[in-house]
Each structure stands twice: as structure tokens, then as C-alpha cells.
Amino acid sequence: MSEAKHGIREKFIEAANRKKILAHKCSKCSQLMLETVMFCEKCGASKFEDVELDGKGTVVTYTIQAVAPEGFEDAGSYAWVVFKINRTQLRASGFLPGVKTPKDLPIGAKVEVTGFDPKHGLLLKQD
Ligand SMILES: [Zn+2]
């Protein structure tokens, strides 16, 4: 891992702990992208500005896991959720504890970032 990439991850985590999602905005064409993208998807430029998005979105798809991962043994069943960030076309994924069956989490449900786990990534709760 390069130092620059490490810096981006640290910033992403710091933003997530404030319930925000750090994204990149292309300096040339203003396209919004996830912070892991190195070149603009639209125009190929490699200059970005950091933008902080509200860590809120709607569930696009998810997978229920019956066995909680290490560090979340007390969370019971959980879902890996892909969600669309509000007011953008960006999708992010995260960990949502307490989901046992599909009726616990309808597609389109609102979720919110609550923090970041170093092993598992974004932590979510249902809004
Ligand atoms: Zn661009």
C-alpha cells in the first residue's frame, strides 16, 4: 500500500466516523466517484477534489449472513448491504447487524452510516 493510498483510507475512515462518505469529484468534469477510483470514469482525468457526502442512502441489494464475522459475534445475523448514496448515483457497501430474514430489510429501505470498522468496513444502521 502506498502512502498516498493510506492517506485516502485514513480520510475515508475519519469521514465515516462522522457519518459521512468521502468521495471524489473530478476537477475537470465534476463527475462524482468513489474515493478508490484513480481516473475519472467519464473523462479520464486524474485530478479530484474530495467531497463529503451524507452517509445516507437506500438499499439496492444485500446478502444475509447467518454467521457474524470476527468482532461481531454479538451482532447475530447481519447483512452485507449495497446502498445508493442519497442524491448521487454512487453505490457503497457496508455491514448492517440484526438482519435475520429478508422481511427485516426491504429493498429500498433507508440506511445510514454509523462508523467504520477496520476489518469490515462501513457500519450501517437502518434509518
Ligand atoms: Zn472527469
Side-chain angles (χ1 to χ4, degrees), residues 101-115:
T101 69
K103 71 174 167 28
D104 293 332
L105 188 65
I107 298 295
K110 289 184 166 64
V111 289
E112 202 178 324
V113 173
T114 60

Side-chain angles (χ1 to χ4, degrees):
M1 189 185 280
S2 74
E3 265 181 44
K5 269 192 172 169
H6 186 71
I8 288 171
R9 182 176 153 86
E10 294 305 307
K11 270 159 62 176
F12 185 81
I13 292 170
E14 191 270 325
N17 285 328
R18 286 186 285 109
K19 304 176 173 32
K20 302 279 184 184
I21 294 173
L22 187 69
H24 271 162
K25 189 168 101 175
C26 178
S27 301
K28 203 169 159 189
C29 76
S30 297
Q31 173 87 348
L32 268 182
M33 284 152 287
L34 292 178
E35 47 86 40
T36 47
V37 174
M38 303 305 283
F39 297 95
C40 176
E41 293 161 350
K42 206 168 165 186
C43 75
S46 59
K47 277 196 172 172
F48 302 103
E49 295 157 32
D50 286 341
V51 286
E52 282 190 0
L53 307 171
D54 264 345
K56 291 183 176 181
T58 53
V59 174
V60 176
T61 184
Y62 62 89
T63 309
I64 294 174
Q65 308 283 333
V67 179
E70 194 186 335
F72 285 100
E73 287 85 355
D74 58 346
S77 304
Y78 73 100
W80 267 116
V81 175
V82 176
F83 62 101
K84 190 180 87 61
I85 302 166
N86 287 355
R87 293 183 298 279
T88 75
Q89 290 307 309
L90 288 184
R91 289 175 176 201
S93 57
F95 171 94
L96 179 63
V99 177
K100 290 187 177 67
T101 69
K103 71 174 167 28
D104 293 332
L105 188 65
I107 298 295
K110 289 184 166 64
V111 289
E112 202 178 324
V113 173
T114 60
F116 190 92
D117 181 87
K119 269 194 200 128
H120 306 297
L122 288 174
L123 300 176
L124 306 172
K125 64 166 187 168
Q126 275 200 71
D127 199 6

